[in-house]
Amino acid sequence: MNAEPLSPDAATVVAALREELSELHQELVRYDLVVWTGGNVSGRVPGQDLFVIKPSGVPYERLTPQSMVVCDLEGRVVDGGGLKPSSDTAAHAYVYRHMPEVGGIVHTHSTYACAWAARGEPVPCVLTAMADEFGAEIPVGPFAVIGDDSIGRGIVETLTGHRSPAVLMRNHGPFTIGPGPRAAVKAAVMCEDVARSVHISHQLGRPLPIDPEAVDRLHHRYRHAYGQPGTSAQ
Ligand SMILES: O=C(CO)[C@@H](O)[C@@H](O)COP(=O)(O)O
């Protein structure tokens, strides 16, 4: 596709987003959320009908800002430097088209989250850390085969109107969203952490539920009072 060249302002924003995404992909490695070339992170380009995503199948140690691929919201490559975008590009594009509040998306195959996804079982909200970050259970989305809008549609149908920024796509793995890519990466990290804790709790017995009103209070506090003034929990 011979796309129009980016305006100088857009090019500046894209360059900064490429830098951020290059760093954020290393966070997936640092938190042990991916193996080999699995997983991907994308970010919406503010003010543009564009997003930037990881190139497909490139080892994490070779990812650079310049290797990140710029796509339009239909998933067509605008500036890729000869690299193909992630095989999940259609899913990310679908979410960006249908959830305008989403600025970042992450997909991983993290172990415990995938174990819950393989069972098609939502992670119940039985920890205060879950109430904080997810405000509910971590839901399960439908089984969907890569290659068209199916995965994206399943993410949107499951997360629209749901507090959780994470969805476990059945028999596949977690996708997370956020107002920006860093928030989506954090949700992926927290998703794997609570999936592991609740799995272990299940092995020891039946986890105890948290009163829904307490979940509401915890979630509100975390989103509005946690951390330093002027900073968001996301
Ligand atoms: O899970 C899938 C596709 O849904 C993997 O192929 C994905 O994690 C990694 O693919 P990419 O390297 O981003 O193309």
Side-chain angles (χ1 to χ4, degrees):
M1 174 185 178
N2 298 320
E4 289 294 312
L6 296 173
S7 70
D9 287 349
T12 302
V13 174
V14 165
L17 183 55
R18 279 176 149 153
E19 289 282 347
E20 182 184 18
L21 289 172
S22 185
E23 290 168 15
L24 287 174
H25 277 90
Q26 301 312 316
E27 295 294 278
L28 303 190
V29 176
R30 185 158 80 97
Y31 283 98
D32 205 19
L33 301 183
V34 293
V35 294
W36 205 243
T37 63
N40 39 69
V41 182
S42 73
R44 188 194 296 270
V45 179
Q48 305 286 331
D49 288 338
L50 300 171
F51 65 99
V52 183
I53 193 165
K54 163 189 166 234
S56 184
V58 175
Y60 278 81
E61 63 272 18
R62 286 175 30 205
L63 291 176
T64 64
Q66 294 69 32
S67 65
M68 298 296 142
V69 181
V70 183
C71 297
D72 67 19
L73 296 190
E74 295 301 324
R76 295 175 297 227
V77 175
V78 170
D79 178 7
L83 294 174
K84 283 170 49 185
S86 167
S87 48
D88 286 311
T89 295
H92 289 237
Y94 189 95
V95 174
Y96 286 127
R97 291 199 303 274
H98 292 85
M99 299 182 83
E101 72 279 13
V102 172
I105 302 168
V106 173
H107 171 47
T108 79
H109 292 164
S110 62
T111 304
Y112 285 88
C114 283
W116 288 88
R119 297 199 305 270
E121 189 176 341
V123 183
C125 186
V126 293
L127 295 169
T128 56
M130 288 196 69
D132 288 348
E133 177 72 19
F134 303 96
E137 69 177 16
I138 299 176
V140 173
F143 177 75
V145 176
I146 191 170
D148 56 24
D149 283 343
S150 304
I151 293 177
R153 188 178 300 113
I155 295 167
V156 171
E157 287 171 356
T158 306
L159 291 185
T160 297
H162 199 292
R163 271 179 177 168
S164 173
V167 56
L168 306 177
M169 293 303 284
R170 208 195 81 206
N171 299 108
H172 187 171
F175 282 79
T176 61
I177 59 175
R182 178 167 295 278
V185 167
K186 179 191 175 194
V189 172
M190 301 295 277
C191 176
E192 177 62 9
D193 183 52
V194 299
R196 175 169 52 242
S197 299
V198 180
H199 170 80
I200 292 170
S201 171
H202 259 294
Q203 289 179 310
L204 303 173
R206 169 164 298 283
L208 301 174
I210 299 176
D211 177 85
E213 190 271 334
V215 172
D216 292 345
R217 287 210 329 265
L218 287 162
H219 193 59
H220 185 272
R221 179 203 69 87
Y222 189 68
R223 290 176 65 86
H224 300 287
Y226 175 75
Q228 301 304 318
T231 62
S232 159
Q234 291 181 319

